[in-house]
Amino acid sequence: MARSRILVVGAGFAGVECVRRLERKLSPADVEISLVTPFSYQLYLPLLPQVAAGVLTPQSVAVSLRRSAKHRTPIIPGGAIGVDTKAKVCVIRKITDEIVNQPYDHIVLAPGSITRTFDIPGLVEHGRGMKTLAEAAYIRDHVIAQLDLADASHDEAERASRLQFVVVGGGYAGTETAACLQRLTENAVKRYPRLNPEQIKWHLIDIAPKLMPELGDKLGLAALEILRKRGIEVSLGVSVADVGPEKVTLTDGRVLPCRTLIWTAGVAASPLVGTLDAETARGRLVVRPDMTVPNADGVFALGDAAAVPDLAKGDDAVCPPTAQHALRQGRKVADNLIAQLQGRPLERYVHKDLGLVVDLGGKDAVSKPFGIELRGLPAQIVARGYHWSALRTQVAKTRVMTNWLLNAVAGDDFVRTGFQMRSPSTLRDFEHTDAYLTPEQVREHTASLRARA
């Protein structure tokens, strides 16, 4: 009897957790597991702001898949750009741009998400993202470059635009990004003889009326107070109206001289979702509580790309796109896939959120583990302890801990590597959202495979 072919798309928290569990519980004689991902690492996304600030090296948060797996699962280096659920074929664009058809018996869709943007003039052309490792490394170089150029400039207007920074998005990612980068520039400016610390201005913008509402009013206000004490201007109930190369216009009419806009205002499901010709809810694949896709044999979907019912909350709630849910969904999908192979009933996914940790750099943090509200050093210990324990390998844990200790003892460094120095490196340059096929194109690609069969 032929081995069942299991294809896992995506090497984020959900996909990697699923693969690891399948490897532990299934024999190589029974199944053939493959993983589709452009990179042979799992990105520990929550620590990206610390990479941008130089507290951690990029390698620290890029956890090697070849170290964390049992070396049984081959990695197909590329991205899934279409799925034909009737032919049971996934269309993959390799990193060489070669397009191949990959047949499967069961497929696990965990392609993650992309940066969510809106139809704001100039945003795509001039905004920077914080979703990938390359973007975090680029932003660090870019911010330091603005200090270098401002220090060398004798034009007050140019200097003002280079020393104002705007972060859009008052959620977890935006708040940490603004906090960590503000701390970097605050320490760096001491090394620039021509710059005045008061010239450097950071803005955090969000259309919502509260900062990080998931923390609750008390901790949300505590985080707001920390940011404002550090000189970050937080504007709530405000959004961006227009983005230019040297200025940002806000919806309240203010025009900020600015050459750096970092966009962290939410995420949208991977465009791969649109290639399936399946039902979606707010852009995410509709799935049953057991994470199977209706009317698609052998297809599971989870993580940021799937609208997984949140049975712990009830009603029509769906699970938020967090690492906490993705990890547990990955384990449950693996168990359900095994149950399906063995002819057993599938189980529903139920998990109550355990809380949130927010690292604001230095000794500043707010955390809410198990509903317990913490701030300051205790919150920082909880935040970093959680992230450290969640890292996959001992090598990654050692690198991160060493970086944290070195930063605490020696302080920040302000080295600019020249990464992507001559490239615009804007929002669309790192996520390749134009690579996906339409459902019709997917069927055309898989038709040749069906003809040969």
Side-chain angles (χ1 to χ4, degrees):
M1 184 178 176
R3 293 186 299 169
S4 291
R5 298 165 298 182
I6 299 175
L7 184 64
V8 180
V9 175
F13 290 102
V16 170
E17 190 67 22
C18 181
V19 168
R20 284 168 58 88
R21 200 167 184 89
L22 289 172
E23 283 187 332
R24 287 196 300 268
K25 293 197 169 188
L26 293 176
S27 164
D30 298 327
V31 296
E32 176 187 337
I33 308 169
S34 299
L35 176 63
V36 181
T37 175
F39 310 107
S40 59
Y41 62 77
Q42 177 193 358
L43 176 62
Y44 192 81
L45 199 63
L47 291 178
L48 269 191
Q50 295 190 35
V51 173
V55 175
L56 298 177
T57 62
Q59 194 176 10
S60 302
V61 300
V63 183
S64 171
L65 295 176
R66 302 192 189 280
R67 280 186 181 272
S68 62
K70 293 184 177 181
H71 308 291
R72 273 179 46 198
T73 299
I75 296 171
I76 303 173
I81 58 173
V83 180
D84 187 334
T85 58
K86 290 185 171 56
K88 289 197 168 184
V89 172
C90 180
V91 183
I92 298 168
R93 187 191 298 273
K94 291 186 176 180
I95 57 174
T96 58
D97 282 335
E98 176 190 2
I99 296 179
V100 298
N101 292 330
Q102 183 73 25
Y104 66 83
D105 297 307
H106 303 270
I107 188 169
V108 177
L109 299 175
S113 56
I114 61 171
T115 302
R116 180 183 63 183
T117 58
F118 300 97
D119 189 19
I120 297 171
L123 174 60
V124 172
E125 293 80 9
H126 304 295
R128 323 285 177 179
M130 261 291 288
K131 195 77 173 60
T132 67
L133 189 60
E135 285 175 312
Y138 170 79
I139 283 175
R140 172 174 167 76
D141 264 20
H142 175 79
V143 168
I144 295 173
Q146 299 314 298
L147 301 184
D148 290 345
L149 291 165
D151 188 59
S153 176
H154 297 285
D155 185 321
E156 289 302 321
E158 178 189 353
R159 182 174 288 186
S161 67
R162 294 197 183 279
L163 296 179
Q164 287 213 66
F165 306 89
V166 175
V167 178
V168 183
Y172 173 92
T175 301
E176 283 203 335
T177 296
C180 290
L181 286 172
Q182 182 273 335
R183 186 170 179 269
L184 171 69
T185 56
E186 181 182 49
N187 293 329
V189 74
K190 301 169 186 175
R191 312 282 180 167
Y192 291 84
R194 296 178 181 174
L195 297 185
N196 185 331
E198 294 181 359
Q199 292 176 295
I200 299 178
K201 298 179 181 179
W202 280 89
H203 300 264
L204 181 59
I205 310 294
D206 198 290
I207 193 65
K210 297 179 182 178
L211 189 70
M212 290 187 294
E214 56 270 42
L215 279 174
D217 290 345
K218 192 174 178 182
L219 280 187
L221 287 172
L224 182 63
E225 183 181 349
I226 290 170
L227 297 180
R228 285 178 169 162
K229 276 186 177 179
R230 282 167 50 175
I232 299 175
E233 185 172 331
V234 182
S235 300
L236 301 174
V238 177
S239 188
V240 174
D242 185 87
V243 185
E246 299 179 14
K247 66 179 182 179
V248 174
T249 304
L250 304 183
T251 53
D252 62 4
R254 282 181 291 164
V255 179
L256 306 176
C258 171
R259 301 190 189 212
T260 307
L261 181 136
I262 303 171
W263 183 267
T264 65
V267 296
S270 165
L272 181 65
V273 167
T275 73
L276 268 73
D277 218 1
E279 184 183 357
T280 60
R282 293 188 178 180
R284 301 166 75 181
L285 274 174
V286 170
V287 297
R288 302 183 183 99
D290 59 14
M291 287 171 286
T292 55
V293 177
N295 305 314
D297 181 44
V299 181
F300 291 83
L302 66 163
D304 294 5
V308 180
D310 192 343
L311 301 182
K313 291 184 179 177
D315 297 325
D316 296 324
V318 296
C319 296
T322 64
Q324 190 179 137
H325 278 291
L327 281 167
R328 288 161 177 81
Q329 288 170 8
R331 294 176 202 146
K332 182 60 70 175
V333 162
D335 290 342
N336 279 344
L337 212 162
I338 295 168
Q340 194 173 75
L341 290 171
Q342 297 174 351
R344 295 185 284 107
L346 279 57
E347 297 182 355
R348 304 185 306 167
Y349 171 74
V350 184
H351 170 67
K352 185 177 180 180
D353 204 305
L354 300 180
L356 188 69
V357 295
V358 182
D359 186 338
L360 299 174
K363 297 179 182 179
D364 293 331
V366 289
S367 299
K368 195 176 181 180
F370 306 104
I372 301 171
E373 296 185 346
L374 301 172
R375 65 184 72 184
L377 188 58
Q380 182 66 282
I381 292 171
V382 169
R384 295 202 170 180
Y386 171 79
H387 291 314
W388 184 83
S389 64
L391 291 165
R392 290 282 177 200
T393 66
Q394 292 303 319
V395 172
K397 289 181 178 181
T398 301
R399 283 186 178 132
V400 166
M401 184 60 72
T402 301
N403 284 177
W404 280 339
L405 292 173
L406 182 62
N407 183 259
V409 173
D412 296 320
D413 72 77
F414 318 111
V415 174
R416 178 163 52 88
T417 65
F419 180 79
Q420 294 274 10
M421 187 169 62
R422 298 296 181 186
S423 169
S425 302
T426 52
L427 274 170
R428 293 307 187 205
D429 293 325
F430 293 102
E431 296 185 310
H432 310 293
T433 53
D434 58 349
Y436 296 87
L437 305 178
T438 65
E440 292 75 20
Q441 290 173 322
V442 172
R443 288 192 287 269
E444 288 176 10
H445 273 282
T446 59
S448 59
L449 186 68
R450 291 198 300 270
R452 288 197 299 269

